[in-house]
Amino acid sequence: MQKLSVAQARQTESIGQQVTLQGWVRTRRDSKAGFSFLELNDGSSMANIQVIADGELENYETEIKHITAGCSVGVEGTIRESPGKGQATEVQAERVILYGTADAESYPLQKKRHSFEFLRTIAHLRPRTNTFGAVARVRNCVCNSIHQFFQENGFLYIHTPVITASDCEGAGEMFQVTTLDLNGPPKAEGKVDFAQDFFDRPSYLTVSGQLEAETFACALGKVYTFGPTFRAENSNTSRHLAEFWMVEPEMAFFELTDNMDLAEQFLKRIFKDVLARCPEDMEFFNLRIDKTTLETLQGIVDSEFVRLTYTEAVKLLEASGESFEFPVNWGVDLQAEHERYLTEKHFQKPVILYDYPRTIKPFYMRLNDDEKTVRAMDVLVPKVGEIIGGSQREERLDVLEMRMAEQDLVAEDYWWYLDLRRYGSVPHAGFGLGLERVVQFITGMANIRDVIPFPRTPGNAEF
Amino acid sequence: MQKLSVAQARQTESIGQQVTLQGWVRTRRDSKAGFSFLELNDGSSMANIQVIADGELENYETEIKHITAGCSVGVEGTIRESPGKGQATEVQAERVILYGTADAESYPLQKKRHSFEFLRTIAHLRPRTNTFGAVARVRNCVCNSIHQFFQENGFLYIHTPVITASDCEGAGEMFQVTTLDLNGPPKAEGKVDFAQDFFDRPSYLTVSGQLEAETFACALGKVYTFGPTFRAENSNTSRHLAEFWMVEPEMAFFELTDNMDLAEQFLKRIFKDVLARCPEDMEFFNLRIDKTTLETLQGIVDSEFVRLTYTEAVKLLEASGESFEFPVNWGVDLQAEHERYLTEKHFQKPVILYDYPRTIKPFYMRLNDDEKTVRAMDVLVPKVGEIIGGSQREERLDVLEMRMAEQDLVAEDYWWYLDLRRYGSVPHAGFGLGLERVVQFITGMANIRDVIPFPRTPGNAEF
């Protein structure tokens, strides 16, 4: 007998087929006429399929009538048109196999609505709920769009290292990786002797694959990374994770305008795909989580992003008459409240800010001729503010060295990064997008811990 | 003027177009007739395109005649039919822009053949060579096939955590992750006080996402992970990395035979795609690195995998008359020499061995009714031996607990894993494929350090 997914079985084209379905029962309801309805879900879609289990089935009294939420079953039967509303099809069971029970007393997922806080404590079971099933499907859809977008545009997927000894930039917020016995590490001259550690030196978890991605862009043209990234930041907020996934495209021969064009196409592609490919899940988020999300996403897909310089933005903010918590003047880093004013109130669409003050941006961003600003760009969207950050990279060796000295970085630590400017240097650019921020934005989920399977935050590394 | 990649410009359809090309010069050759040939590469293909730079160009004497290997240039010109052999097209330059020079004295990549050992010391420049450019393209192709295969078959891509406090199984070979100051960690009762570490307990880098992937399979059906995995194993071999990428599909309602079918389809798809999508790169590997690779891959695509039990395999090996370094008898773990004998000599095609002794396999593999073997499977291919390992998982709570006790594992550490068997347990199965092993197999590269951008091995975490 043909195995179908619930999503397939819900299509009218499946009517008349003899099939096997397998999944988990969400609810059982008994009719007074002596049969039962089982709502079956297998993760292939938000919606369940209704199974009609007749009283005549051989295990009806012994098993079927005792099925509770969470039980796993196989159903052999015929798909037919459903007389009920809200569903095109249903299954008339000829056989119901009970695989696994779920004791109604102890099973943590009961029919009532559970808080997201509670569900975080059972992260191994929460994908069985409507909300977390939908998050998993949307997250998968976004990941797939990301790969498709870059592959279709001639990018190579590159794996930059997770463990690194050379990523000095973010040292304060890095996790150390070691095989030394912390209770009695080997010492040399009174200090831990890292020459005896696995990598013969202190090593850390990466905060970004950008610098390594640049080495591949400066050899092969257009590349992207998509991997886990880490921040040992003691932030207990709804927007921070210690471990998250980041996408970082890096393109040789791209200047800032090309970078902006790519970022705009990229975001639109992701949002367009999720609207087209996950309509049921997105309806659910729009209904239950954030009533503006469909409208916001469609608005972004249809809009042309505004592009203006940091300097123009500061003028607008100063003239806005808004009372911001953090005052604005040229030279300060913009806060979420400023970014949101621009994208939500003033322009009411996505905004790409560029040419930021050199003093607030990293050493690798290309210095403008005014010597006051660098070729940075941030893409701002409603509700969130910055969703993408990027820049044209400094390709001139002397300027790069000067900028490194200015930020007290030791050139020798970056010998290989500087080599890219010594040998066949090219204009190039790139940006970074945090996967969880995008999934959060799309779904409207309030806490970032609810859009990643097993969130890592201060004090949390369970599962 | 339209920007084209070198790969596009090499197509005959591009003849007659006015284009801009950008890339790196591999060689310059001057004609006595007063013009120069530049071999240009931009990473889009193995092959270069030939650029003809006339002596009349304004920067011919000042710049073009000084171009050396590794210089980056932009070329504006017309694509025309090439009179030379081995190439359909060439570019008549109307303008050559020199972006970056590469001092011939100090540029480490000279025209001569460099050893792979040397190139590992300049991992930031090696993608500029033919071999490492080809490896990057093949690796990208494999990754793309992996995602396409699973997405087309209804799998959800799941990110299992990199940092974990609960992965007790491989503790001996795990990297510890910490934010404590190793030179003076806080102590409690004379021991390091991990309650003050970032995650309030000792935490590690994952050795496998399988257990976490099972939680999603047991909710959503078919899922896969594809992410970095770590082993703090002090192995300095051509087959081991401390950090590598692993693919782990996990499927609810799959038994061992379904698992075998999937693994066979999956491998064939990867090999078929790489043959179809990277023909030039694969020709190169077949010519320069391993003269059997095209034949081997095509052979696998066309073959039906042999399936036999471990017990049958041991009988075959015992009867083979071969003198193995490690003697074979029922109960021992098979060595590469045994696996290779079966796949290369005896069957001359891929072999799936299954039903291994319970004593040599992990606790989570499903116990057979004979109580001596478990539903494990290994896929063996020529040259390499095992390329995929997997199993049907033990879905019976009591049997799983018994197996854990047998292997001295503490049930409380796995409370959430056991919950999957307490509530709606289902038959399920999965397997793991090491990305680098596959890329090594496809390309024939002898050392695994040469198929990952920045290899991490004992003593090596540079870049």
Side-chain angles (χ1 to χ4, degrees):
Chain A
M1 217 173 297
Q2 206 196 344
K3 271 198 196 188
L4 284 195
S5 69
V6 167
Q8 291 168 324
R10 286 177 50 82
Q11 305 297 316
T12 47
E13 302 89 80
S14 301
I15 290 173
Q17 288 191 52
Q18 280 273 104
V19 299
T20 299
L21 300 175
Q22 296 168 309
W24 293 266
V25 172
R26 289 289 173 86
T27 60
R28 192 198 82 239
R29 194 158 53 81
D30 300 327
S31 160
K32 285 176 185 156
F35 60 93
S36 298
F37 297 101
L38 305 176
E39 288 288 328
L40 187 71
N41 190 287
D42 67 357
S44 61
S45 68
M46 163 67 65
N48 308 320
I49 194 161
Q50 180 166 280
V51 176
I52 290 100
D54 258 353
E56 258 95 279
L57 292 174
E58 62 161 351
N59 58 344
Y60 186 76
E61 290 296 334
T62 54
E63 291 187 328
I64 297 173
K65 277 200 77 170
H66 305 283
I67 284 175
T68 53
C71 287
S72 48
V73 297
V75 174
E76 294 172 10
T78 310
I79 300 180
R80 62 186 196 192
E81 199 179 333
S82 174
K85 56 181 178 182
Q87 61 202 28
T89 67
E90 61 184 25
V91 184
Q92 177 70 45
E94 279 128 39
R95 194 168 163 224
V96 173
I97 305 147
L98 177 63
Y99 292 116
T101 59
D103 176 52
E105 291 297 304
S106 62
Y107 187 47
L109 288 175
Q110 293 306 318
K111 215 191 157 182
K112 68 175 183 115
R113 193 82 67 89
H114 297 288
S115 76
F116 293 152
E117 288 74 15
F118 168 71
L119 291 173
R120 260 171 243 147
T121 68
I122 49 166
H124 62 306
L125 298 176
R126 66 181 182 168
R128 301 181 183 195
T129 65
N130 282 337
T131 305
F132 289 90
V135 167
R137 285 184 295 270
V138 165
R139 187 177 164 110
N140 171 71
C141 176
V142 172
C143 292
N144 192 29
S145 284
I146 289 168
H147 282 298
Q148 287 182 335
F149 176 82
F150 288 120
Q151 294 291 332
E152 289 165 12
N153 285 288
F155 285 67
L156 296 176
Y157 181 29
I158 299 292
H159 294 120
T160 51
V162 171
I163 298 173
T164 179
S166 76
D167 205 342
C168 323
E169 204 203 334
E173 294 181 350
M174 288 172 93
F175 289 102
Q176 187 158 5
V177 173
T178 183
T179 52
L180 297 179
D181 176 2
L182 301 199
N183 277 307
K187 302 255 180 170
E189 296 171 19
K191 290 260 185 187
V192 173
D193 182 13
F194 287 109
Q196 296 188 49
D197 205 351
F198 191 90
F199 297 107
D200 300 354
R201 76 201 83 178
S203 54
Y204 305 91
L205 294 180
T206 186
V207 296
S208 160
Q210 180 201 316
L211 306 195
E212 288 90 353
E214 285 187 50
T215 69
F216 274 74
C218 291
L220 299 168
K222 294 188 284 187
V223 304
Y224 67 110
T225 69
F226 186 5
T229 318
F230 305 84
R231 293 280 187 290
E233 211 180 326
N234 198 5
S235 298
N236 259 308
T237 79
S238 61
R239 303 264 300 151
H240 289 88
L241 290 167
E243 173 181 328
F244 55 97
W245 282 66
M246 186 138 75
V247 187
E248 296 177 285
E250 191 71 36
M251 298 74 64
F253 309 108
F254 265 52
E255 303 194 1
L256 193 67
T257 311
D258 308 306
N259 207 22
M260 291 184 199
D261 292 345
L262 188 79
E264 180 168 345
Q265 289 161 20
F266 176 57
L267 274 186
K268 286 178 176 173
R269 165 63 182 265
I270 292 172
F271 299 154
K272 208 172 135 193
D273 281 350
V274 85
L275 291 170
R277 297 174 183 176
C278 300
E280 269 185 10
D281 294 317
M282 290 308 303
E283 281 293 344
F284 171 85
F285 289 117
N286 201 62
L287 194 67
R288 296 289 180 85
I289 307 291
D290 172 357
K291 298 205 187 310
T292 66
T293 186
L294 286 179
E295 192 190 329
T296 304
L297 295 177
Q298 192 61 54
I300 293 180
V301 171
D302 296 337
S303 70
E304 199 171 320
F305 291 14
V306 174
R307 300 177 186 195
L308 83 164
T309 63
Y310 167 92
T311 302
E312 290 164 329
V314 167
K315 279 185 199 148
L316 274 180
L317 290 164
E318 286 175 332
S320 69
E322 296 277 317
S323 60
F324 295 116
E325 190 188 342
F326 297 91
V328 178
N329 52 63
W330 200 97
V332 305
D333 213 355
L334 300 183
Q335 303 292 323
E337 57 173 343
H338 310 131
E339 296 173 341
R340 293 184 59 173
Y341 169 79
L342 292 169
T343 176
E344 287 171 15
K345 284 204 178 168
H346 191 85
F347 292 110
Q348 299 182 338
K349 52 170 128 171
V351 177
I352 308 182
L353 293 189
Y354 63 98
D355 286 351
Y356 281 76
R358 73 192 273 181
T359 47
I360 59 173
K361 290 290 182 184
F363 72 97
Y364 51 72
M365 297 191 173
R366 193 179 197 279
L367 191 62
N368 278 311
D369 290 345
D370 65 13
E371 301 206 341
K372 287 168 60 189
T373 59
V374 291
R375 303 242 80 189
M377 68 173 208
D378 281 356
V379 182
L380 317 179
V381 292
K383 296 191 287 181
V384 163
E386 183 203 326
I387 197 162
I388 280 180
S391 72
Q392 185 172 336
R393 316 307 188 190
E394 183 54 75
E395 86 281 13
R396 296 161 296 184
L397 181 61
D398 54 343
V399 182
L400 188 61
E401 286 174 329
M402 180 268 286
R403 290 272 290 151
M404 288 178 63
E406 186 175 293
Q407 302 194 7
D408 295 325
L409 296 169
V410 181
E412 289 82 67
D413 291 343
Y414 295 85
W415 65 274
W416 53 274
Y417 189 68
L418 293 168
D419 264 6
L420 304 180
R421 281 73 180 168
R422 271 188 201 106
Y423 306 117
S425 187
V426 295
H428 62 290
F431 60 81
L433 173 88
L435 175 65
E436 287 73 19
R437 292 275 173 94
V438 176
V439 178
Q440 213 186 343
F441 177 67
I442 291 172
T443 58
M445 294 295 283
N447 196 314
I448 200 164
R449 300 168 198 213
D450 296 332
V451 298
I452 189 167
F454 298 97
R456 270 66 183 108
T457 56
N460 295 304
E462 182 75 277
F463 306 106
Chain B
M1 215 174 296
Q2 206 196 344
K3 272 199 197 187
L4 284 195
S5 68
V6 166
Q8 291 167 324
R10 286 178 51 84
Q11 306 296 316
T12 48
E13 303 90 78
S14 301
I15 290 173
Q17 287 191 53
Q18 281 272 104
V19 299
T20 300
L21 301 174
Q22 295 168 307
W24 293 265
V25 172
R26 289 289 172 88
T27 60
R28 192 197 83 239
R29 193 159 53 80
D30 300 328
S31 160
K32 284 178 188 155
F35 60 92
S36 298
F37 297 101
L38 306 176
E39 289 287 329
L40 188 71
N41 190 288
D42 67 356
S44 61
S45 68
M46 163 66 65
N48 309 319
I49 194 161
Q50 180 167 282
V51 177
I52 290 102
D54 258 353
E56 258 95 280
L57 293 173
E58 61 161 350
N59 59 343
Y60 185 76
E61 290 297 334
T62 55
E63 291 187 327
I64 297 173
K65 277 199 76 171
H66 306 283
I67 284 175
T68 53
C71 287
S72 49
V73 298
V75 174
E76 295 172 11
T78 309
I79 298 178
R80 61 185 197 193
E81 199 180 332
S82 172
K85 56 181 179 183
Q87 60 201 28
T89 67
E90 61 184 24
V91 185
Q92 177 70 45
E94 279 128 37
R95 195 168 162 226
V96 173
I97 304 147
L98 178 63
Y99 291 117
T101 58
D103 176 51
E105 292 295 308
S106 62
Y107 187 48
L109 288 175
Q110 292 305 319
K111 217 192 155 183
K112 67 175 183 116
R113 194 81 69 87
H114 297 288
S115 76
F116 293 152
E117 288 73 16
F118 168 71
L119 291 173
R120 261 170 242 145
T121 68
I122 50 167
H124 62 306
L125 298 177
R126 66 179 183 168
R128 301 181 183 195
T129 66
N130 282 337
T131 305
F132 290 90
V135 167
R137 284 184 296 271
V138 165
R139 187 178 165 111
N140 171 71
C141 176
V142 172
C143 294
N144 192 29
S145 284
I146 290 168
H147 282 297
Q148 287 182 335
F149 176 82
F150 288 120
Q151 294 290 333
E152 289 165 12
N153 285 288
F155 284 68
L156 295 176
Y157 181 30
I158 299 293
H159 293 121
T160 50
V162 172
I163 298 173
T164 178
S166 76
D167 205 342
C168 322
E169 204 202 331
E173 294 180 351
M174 289 172 93
F175 289 101
Q176 188 157 5
V177 173
T178 183
T179 52
L180 297 179
D181 175 3
L182 302 199
N183 276 306
K187 303 255 180 169
E189 296 171 19
K191 290 260 185 187
V192 172
D193 182 13
F194 287 109
Q196 295 189 49
D197 204 351
F198 191 89
F199 296 107
D200 299 357
R201 75 200 85 176
S203 54
Y204 305 91
L205 294 181
T206 185
V207 296
S208 159
Q210 178 201 317
L211 306 194
E212 288 91 351
E214 284 186 51
T215 69
F216 274 75
C218 292
L220 300 168
K222 294 187 285 188
V223 304
Y224 68 110
T225 70
F226 186 6
T229 318
F230 304 85
R231 293 281 187 291
E233 211 180 326
N234 198 5
S235 297
N236 259 308
T237 80
S238 61
R239 304 261 302 151
H240 289 87
L241 290 168
E243 173 181 328
F244 56 96
W245 281 66
M246 189 140 74
V247 187
E248 296 178 287
E250 191 71 36
M251 298 74 64
F253 308 108
F254 266 52
E255 303 194 1
L256 193 66
T257 311
D258 308 306
N259 207 22
M260 291 185 200
D261 292 345
L262 188 79
E264 180 169 345
Q265 289 161 20
F266 176 56
L267 274 186
K268 286 179 176 175
R269 165 64 182 265
I270 292 173
F271 299 154
K272 208 173 137 192
D273 281 351
V274 85
L275 290 170
R277 296 173 183 177
C278 300
E280 270 185 8
D281 294 316
M282 288 309 302
E283 281 293 344
F284 172 85
F285 287 118
N286 201 61
L287 194 66
R288 296 290 180 85
I289 306 293
D290 173 357
K291 297 203 186 311
T292 66
T293 187
L294 286 179
E295 192 190 330
T296 305
L297 296 177
Q298 192 61 53
I300 294 180
V301 171
D302 296 336
S303 70
E304 198 170 320
F305 292 13
V306 174
R307 300 178 185 194
L308 83 165
T309 64
Y310 167 91
T311 302
E312 290 165 326
V314 168
K315 279 185 200 151
L316 274 181
L317 290 164
E318 286 175 331
S320 69
E322 296 277 317
S323 61
F324 294 116
E325 190 188 345
F326 297 91
V328 180
N329 51 64
W330 201 96
V332 303
D333 214 352
L334 299 184
Q335 303 293 321
E337 56 173 344
H338 310 129
E339 296 174 341
R340 293 184 60 174
Y341 169 79
L342 293 169
T343 175
E344 288 171 14
K345 283 203 178 170
H346 191 86
F347 293 109
Q348 299 182 339
K349 50 171 133 173
V351 177
I352 308 182
L353 293 191
Y354 63 97
D355 286 353
Y356 282 76
R358 72 192 274 182
T359 47
I360 59 173
K361 290 291 183 184
F363 72 96
Y364 50 73
M365 296 190 173
R366 193 178 197 280
L367 191 63
N368 278 311
D369 290 344
D370 65 14
E371 299 206 342
K372 286 169 58 189
T373 59
V374 291
R375 304 242 78 190
M377 69 173 206
D378 281 355
V379 182
L380 317 179
V381 292
K383 297 191 288 183
V384 164
E386 184 202 327
I387 197 163
I388 280 181
S391 72
Q392 184 172 336
R393 317 309 187 188
E394 183 54 76
E395 88 280 12
R396 297 161 297 185
L397 181 62
D398 54 342
V399 182
L400 188 61
E401 285 174 330
M402 179 268 285
R403 290 272 289 151
M404 289 178 64
E406 186 175 292
Q407 301 194 6
D408 294 325
L409 297 168
V410 180
E412 290 81 64
D413 291 343
Y414 293 87
W415 66 275
W416 53 274
Y417 189 69
L418 293 168
D419 264 5
L420 304 181
R421 281 74 182 168
R422 271 187 201 106
Y423 307 117
S425 187
V426 294
H428 62 291
F431 60 81
L433 173 88
L435 176 65
E436 286 74 19
R437 292 276 174 95
V438 175
V439 178
Q440 213 185 344
F441 177 67
I442 291 172
T443 59
M445 295 294 284
N447 196 313
I448 201 164
R449 299 169 198 212
D450 297 331
V451 298
I452 189 167
F454 298 97
R456 269 69 181 106
T457 56
N460 295 304
E462 182 75 277
F463 306 106

